Amino acid sequence: MTGYTMLRNGGVGNGGQPWVLRWSSRIRLTWLSFTLFVILVFFPLIAHYYLTTIDDADDAGKRIFGPRTGNELCEVKHVQDLCRIRESVSEELLQLEAKRQELNSEIAKLNLKIEACKKSIENAKQDLLQLKNVISQTEHSYKELMAQNQPKLSLPIRLLPDKDDATFPLPKSNRNCRLHNCFDYSRCPLTSGFPVYVYNSDDYPFGSSLDPLIKQAFEATVRTNVYVTENANIACVYIILVGEMQEPVMPKPTELEQQLHSLPYWRTDGHNHLIINLSRKSETQNFIYNISTGRAMIAQSTFYDAQYRPGFDIVVSPLVHAMSEPNFLEIPPQVPVKRKYLFSFQGEKIESLRSSLQEVRSFEEEIEGNAPADYDDRIITTLKAVQDSKLDFVLVEFTCKNQPKASLPTEWALCGERDDRLELLKLSTFALIITPGDTHLVISAGCTMRLFEALEVGAIPVVLGEQVQLPYNDVIRWNEAALIIPKPRITEVHFLLRSISDNDLLAMRRQGRFLWETYFSTSDNVFSTVLAVIRTRIQIPAAPIREEPAVEIPHRSGKAAGTDPNMADNGDLDLGPVETEPPYASPKYLRNFTLTAMDIYRNWNSAPGPFHLFPYTPFDPVLPSEAKFLGSGTGFRPIGGGAGGSGKEFQAALGGNVPREQFTVVMLTYEREEVLMNSLERLNGLPYLNKVVVVWNSPKLPSEDLLWPDIGVPIMVVRTEKNSLNNRFLPWDEIETEAILSIDDDAHLRHDEIMFGFRVWREARDRIVGFPGRYHAWDIPHQSWLYNSWCCLLPQGETSPGLPLPAHSHLGLQLWGGGPGFLRTNVGALCPFP
């Protein structure tokens, strides 16, 4: 510890030696530093002085560091080369500078030329684009002109020679006649238009025996039918009326047969002839049964199985309203569904076959053995048991209070007068129709009369006898309007009728009403239906509906239409081009032939569709075939949807496979000029718009000083003969497009909504696309119809509107009818029925 302290404090003795060493090293460093300072300071000063002294000497030739003149310097050999290099470099630099300036000026000129070339290129591109557009438009116009001058399809070749083929083989029996072996298709080409020649019955002896009312009604119908022609040489079908005949002056069967065979166009076998025997009464006899009619078709209300040829002959409905229209005000409403009697039947059997009840056999023995000859006695017993059970109110009477009507053997005769029978049917939910006991009688005038009366007043027909052939059975689906039950199931009839729900009853009643109004009610309907059956069988399209001439009301245009900001705000959606060219008409009747050849038994009740369409109903007018896209009301969005891409791509896709197509707006108005002008202005800029047809429904003409907006397309103001809402459905001759948008003058639809409906219609051209709905239901407390613009959900028993349906609701609505609990309304939306 002591030694360490001494070393640290610089102690003496052995510890003093290091201190001496440190001192000596410090002296050496100081000396070296001084020596270096002297050398670095004084030596440069001495050298500078020496050199300066040498340059100041008198001998100029001995100066080394003094300034010299240029010539002296250039005289030095090693410097001469450098001078020459400097001079040459200077000259080259001057030349390069001159060239640089020259190049800069050239570059400026070239830049100006480039800018001019760019402008010329842009102008050339614009000119080229315009030329391409002109070429495209010229090609399109050329194609349109060629399409107008050339048919899309050439006429088909005739199936057989024009002359009659006398060697046409006859069938082994008239009973085997069908269209393929008894009908001459060569007289009925697809493009013939189905011409029909009608013989004048007064020119032949049997004409004096015809019922005057039948003959008069038939002649009146023939005069107004579009298919009837006076040129027998081009006719497809020849029609002769032979009944109903009056009993006292009825000719003999042989005489009538000779008169038929002597017709000028009978051609030995009567092919392509139709013999019509209309019945106005239930006791009409089947006098054609014993007449040889050859290959002629027969249309009447009574047929035996040995006489009836399925697919060739026609079962027609009776002509009850011969010369008068039915009184629709006396027809009872379709609701309430349930009526006083569950079912009713009145009739008397004058002559019957041997009854199975007269034999001493049990029912089990009948089942094990042969079927009984006549089920009518068992039917009487069963129906009386149902009436006596008092489970339901039923009315069955098997004996007439007055003299029964004349009838065929084994047929149930009608009781009472027609008005009395209708009053009973108005109180009946179902109407029993018992077919004749003779199974060889497939249909009789009495059965068709019972069917006619039941459908007229809304009693659902229940036909006992599955062998029956109802009127127009090959084109009408009778299971949607009537019940056809085999006679052996008579014991199950009561159970079956009670098990049918109210919704199904209402659907059947409505379908029956539709069938009665469309095919049975008037002589025009009966005759048109007979022709339609034949035309459909041979697959000839229907004649186009006659156009309604449009009487234009002069008006002044000139006020520029404004743009509604609500209509113009479509985001990034491409709605389509605004039509700046003249209106483009749709090709007419391209699908008529294919639609005729397609399956006519389309099940509308299960046809899927993205939109809810409104068909013909008993309260609506018949729509023209061209009017396929309809909608009206207050601007609700379409109900429905579909799968597809995103919004922009789906909106840009117009749909369908028609490359260019437009639609016509038909707008109904009545003395609301300001509202009408606003609605027309909202159509400004609407893509694919052909024209606007304003149906002026008021007898008062519009104001003379009224300025109509200029929306870029023609506006046609049509004057009507009378004020009717049905004027919107008339096929005006000014309509040149297949698609029609029918709206009210107060409707407010955005352009994207209209384009959405137009696209959906193009994807399903046989549908009618609608926008808003209407609701109607039977108000039980007030015994009247409840109608409003809300399509509502109603709980059971509630008669006031509930919550309105949202615009995106999916109810599974169908085209021709809804499922259980739905009513089809007059504009296509199906609403719940309480």
Side-chain angles (χ1 to χ4, degrees):
M1 181 68 183
T2 306
Y4 174 75
T5 306
M6 291 177 64
L7 290 174
R8 193 178 173 191
N9 296 329
V12 295
N14 296 332
Q17 187 176 358
W19 180 82
V20 175
L21 295 175
R22 287 194 298 274
W23 184 79
S24 60
S25 61
R26 289 179 181 177
I27 294 174
R28 288 194 297 270
L29 292 173
T30 304
W31 174 252
L32 290 174
S33 300
F34 180 77
T35 303
L36 291 173
F37 177 77
V38 171
I39 293 172
L40 294 175
V41 173
F42 288 99
F43 182 79
L45 292 175
I46 295 172
H48 181 269
Y49 178 78
Y50 177 76
L51 292 174
T52 305
T53 304
I54 293 176
D55 291 335
D56 293 338
D58 297 334
D59 191 357
K62 295 182 178 178
R63 283 191 242 168
I64 299 175
F65 300 98
R68 297 175 182 270
T69 63
N71 295 329
E72 293 177 353
L73 184 61
C74 293
E75 292 177 356
V76 183
K77 292 183 178 180
H78 65 275
V79 178
Q80 291 178 355
D81 295 335
L82 295 177
C83 291
R84 287 193 299 271
I85 293 172
R86 186 187 65 177
E87 292 176 356
S88 63
V89 169
S90 299
E91 293 178 358
E92 291 178 357
L93 290 176
L94 293 175
Q95 294 176 358
L96 291 176
E97 178 64 20
K99 290 182 178 180
R100 185 183 67 83
Q101 294 178 359
E102 182 179 357
L103 291 175
N104 287 337
S105 62
E106 291 181 358
I107 290 173
K109 294 179 180 178
L110 292 175
N111 288 332
L112 294 177
K113 291 182 179 180
I114 290 174
E115 294 296 330
C117 290
K118 288 182 178 180
K119 292 181 179 179
S120 63
I121 290 174
E122 292 295 332
N123 295 332
K125 288 182 178 180
Q126 295 293 333
D127 296 339
L128 179 60
L129 182 61
Q130 292 178 0
L131 289 175
K132 288 182 178 180
N133 294 334
V134 171
I135 293 173
S136 176
Q137 183 63 30
T138 304
E139 292 178 351
H140 190 74
S141 301
Y142 174 76
K143 292 180 180 179
E144 290 182 357
L145 292 176
M146 294 297 295
Q148 293 176 2
N149 297 327
Q150 295 181 358
K152 294 182 178 298
L153 294 175
S154 59
L155 293 178
I157 301 175
R158 296 185 68 89
L159 302 179
L160 293 176
D162 295 339
K163 296 182 180 180
D164 295 329
D165 190 359
T167 62
F168 196 58
L170 289 172
K172 295 181 180 180
S173 173
N174 293 336
R175 181 71 176 84
N176 299 327
C177 259
R178 298 296 185 270
L179 289 176
H180 68 276
N181 58 2
C182 289
F183 190 85
D184 186 8
Y185 281 90
S186 65
R187 303 199 62 85
C188 305
L190 290 176
T191 57
S192 63
F194 191 61
V196 175
Y197 179 79
V198 180
Y199 291 98
N200 188 1
S201 301
D202 293 334
D203 297 340
Y204 305 97
F206 62 84
S208 59
S209 304
L210 296 177
D211 187 328
L213 291 179
I214 294 288
K215 183 170 64 174
Q216 188 177 359
F218 182 78
E219 291 175 352
T221 300
V222 167
R223 285 194 297 267
T224 59
N225 195 275
V226 296
Y227 297 105
V228 175
T229 179
E230 296 181 358
N231 188 359
N233 295 323
I234 65 171
C236 170
V237 177
Y238 301 85
I239 297 179
I240 182 66
L241 178 66
V242 298
E244 177 177 53
M245 288 192 176
Q246 297 175 337
E247 293 289 344
V249 292
M250 182 183 298
K252 296 181 180 179
T254 55
E255 296 177 356
L256 181 59
E257 181 177 338
Q258 293 177 357
Q259 295 174 19
L260 290 177
H261 291 181
S262 63
L263 293 175
Y265 305 100
W266 186 261
R267 297 185 178 90
T268 69
D269 57 2
H271 62 271
N272 290 42
H273 275 65
L274 175 64
I275 301 175
I276 298 181
N277 179 22
L278 298 177
S279 60
R280 192 169 59 90
K281 298 174 291 186
S282 61
E283 61 269 18
T284 302
Q285 300 295 323
N286 185 12
F287 60 89
I288 304 181
Y289 181 72
N290 297 321
I291 295 177
S292 175
T293 57
R295 288 177 173 167
M297 297 174 287
I298 300 176
Q300 60 181 7
S301 300
T302 302
F303 278 102
Y304 286 95
D305 58 354
Q307 178 189 17
Y308 180 69
R309 296 163 292 186
F312 194 74
D313 294 327
I314 304 175
V315 179
V316 298
S317 58
L319 190 60
V320 177
H321 302 285
M323 291 303 298
S324 62
E325 294 287 336
N327 189 357
F328 291 95
L329 297 178
E330 296 182 357
I331 298 176
Q334 300 185 20
V335 289
V337 178
K338 297 293 183 62
R339 297 179 178 178
K340 178 179 180 180
Y341 299 111
L342 178 63
F343 61 85
S344 64
F345 178 81
Q346 284 182 327
E348 183 174 342
K349 200 167 189 180
I350 301 176
E351 181 181 355
S352 63
L353 299 175
R354 184 183 50 163
S355 175
S356 62
L357 295 181
Q358 295 177 356
E359 301 179 4
V360 185
R361 293 195 304 169
S362 64
F363 183 72
E364 290 77 8
E365 291 175 345
E366 295 175 0
I367 297 300
E368 293 176 358
N370 297 327
D374 193 355
Y375 281 102
D376 291 352
D377 292 337
R378 182 175 297 278
I379 291 174
I380 294 173
T381 305
T382 304
L383 295 181
K384 285 185 176 181
V386 174
Q387 185 178 21
D388 296 339
S389 65
K390 302 297 180 63
L391 295 176
D392 292 289
F393 286 105
V394 298
L395 177 62
V396 290
E397 295 179 355
F398 301 102
T399 303
C400 296
K401 299 178 181 179
N402 299 323
Q403 182 67 24
K405 304 293 182 180
S407 61
L408 296 175
T410 73
E411 183 185 15
W412 287 92
L414 295 174
C415 295
E417 299 298 329
R418 166 178 160 80
D419 294 339
D420 298 333
R421 296 194 300 268
L422 292 180
E423 290 300 325
L424 176 60
L425 292 175
K426 290 178 182 179
L427 302 176
S428 305
T429 305
F430 297 94
L432 295 184
I433 302 175
I434 304 176
T435 58
D438 187 1
T439 56
H440 298 292
L441 187 61
V442 295
I443 190 63
S444 64
C447 290
T448 57
M449 184 65 68
R450 290 181 182 272
L451 179 67
F452 180 93
E453 294 176 352
L455 295 177
E456 182 178 5
V457 296
I460 300 174
V462 180
V463 183
L464 296 178
E466 77 284 1
Q467 81 284 355
V468 68
Q469 297 290 336
L470 296 181
Y472 323 116
N473 60 335
D474 56 342
V475 293
I476 293 180
R477 304 189 66 174
W478 280 106
N479 59 343
E480 297 178 356
L483 296 174
I484 303 176
I485 304 173
K487 285 185 178 181
R489 295 190 180 276
I490 184 59
T491 57
E492 302 171 340
V493 169
H494 186 209
F495 168 80
L496 178 61
L497 299 184
R498 294 189 64 182
S499 64
I500 301 177
S501 64
D502 292 353
N503 300 319
D504 295 335
L505 291 178
L506 181 61
M508 297 179 70
R509 182 174 296 167
R510 295 180 68 253
Q511 183 66 12
R513 172 72 177 275
F514 167 75
L515 295 178
W516 179 80
E517 285 195 357
T518 308
Y519 307 119
F520 298 83
S521 57
T522 63
S523 58
D524 290 340
N525 292 342
V526 172
F527 184 70
S528 299
T529 304
V530 172
L531 295 183
V533 170
I534 301 176
R535 182 181 51 77
T536 304
R537 287 176 177 176
I538 62 178
Q539 298 181 350
I540 293 182
I545 297 178
R546 295 178 179 176
E547 295 181 344
E548 187 75 15
V551 180
E552 184 179 3
I553 300 177
H555 60 281
R556 293 189 303 165
S557 300
K559 183 178 67 173
T563 302
D564 191 344
N566 296 328
M567 303 301 225
D569 187 12
N570 296 314
D572 58 348
L573 298 180
D574 183 14
L575 299 184
V578 178
E579 302 296 346
T580 58
E581 302 176 3
Y584 178 77
S586 300
K588 295 182 179 180
Y589 318 120
L590 288 181
R591 303 180 63 212
N592 284 14
F593 298 100
T594 55
L595 286 177
T596 305
M598 288 170 58
D599 183 16
I600 61 175
Y601 292 120
R602 179 178 298 178
N603 188 359
W604 298 109
N605 289 332
S606 61
F611 276 78
H612 318 312
L613 322 172
F614 64 96
Y616 171 81
T617 66
F619 303 99
D620 293 333
V622 178
L623 302 180
S625 60
E626 293 83 6
K628 295 297 183 64
F629 168 61
L630 298 173
S632 61
T634 56
F636 285 75
R637 293 197 177 194
I639 300 177
S646 61
K648 184 175 181 179
E649 286 77 8
F650 184 66
Q651 184 72 21
L654 184 58
N657 57 358
V658 179
R660 184 182 181 188
E661 189 170 23
Q662 298 176 340
F663 63 90
T664 303
V665 171
V666 176
M667 184 176 298
L668 189 70
T669 185
Y670 186 89
E671 295 184 3
R672 294 193 294 186
E673 295 180 354
E674 183 178 358
V675 175
L676 175 63
M677 296 301 108
N678 294 334
S679 298
L680 291 176
E681 288 185 0
R682 285 194 292 267
L683 299 178
N684 184 29
L686 180 62
Y688 306 106
L689 181 59
N690 182 275
K691 68 174 62 172
V692 179
V693 177
V694 177
V695 181
W696 192 264
N697 230 15
S698 172
K700 180 181 177 181
L701 296 180
S703 303
E704 296 181 357
D705 57 347
L706 180 63
L707 284 179
W708 295 69
D710 183 8
I711 60 176
V713 297
I715 298 179
M716 178 72 64
V717 185
V718 178
R719 184 176 183 179
T720 59
E721 296 181 356
K722 61 179 180 179
N723 180 17
S724 174
L725 294 177
N726 294 331
N727 290 332
R728 68 169 73 241
F729 301 119
L730 295 178
W732 302 104
D733 56 2
E734 292 294 334
I735 300 176
E736 299 177 338
T737 60
E738 186 177 356
I740 300 172
L741 171 60
S742 178
I743 59 177
D744 295 334
D745 55 358
D746 58 349
H748 191 175
L749 293 175
R750 300 198 310 269
H751 289 184
D752 60 322
E753 293 176 327
I754 298 176
M755 288 300 97
F756 183 69
F758 184 43
R759 181 177 63 253
V760 172
W761 173 83
R762 282 172 56 93
E763 295 174 355
R765 304 177 72 89
D766 57 343
R767 301 295 187 88
I768 301 177
V769 180
F771 286 88
R774 294 294 186 269
Y775 169 75
H776 73 271
W778 182 253
D779 191 350
I780 297 178
H782 300 88
Q783 292 295 303
S784 62
W785 283 102
L786 177 66
Y787 174 84
N788 56 37
S789 60
W790 297 95
C791 188
C792 311
L793 287 171
L794 293 181
Q796 185 71 19
E798 183 178 338
T799 58
S800 60
L803 296 176
L805 294 177
H808 58 274
S809 296
H810 295 267
L811 294 180
L813 311 183
Q814 309 300 334
L815 178 62
W816 278 103
F822 290 92
L823 266 177
R824 186 173 67 249
T825 64
N826 62 332
V827 293
L830 296 181
C831 299
F833 182 72

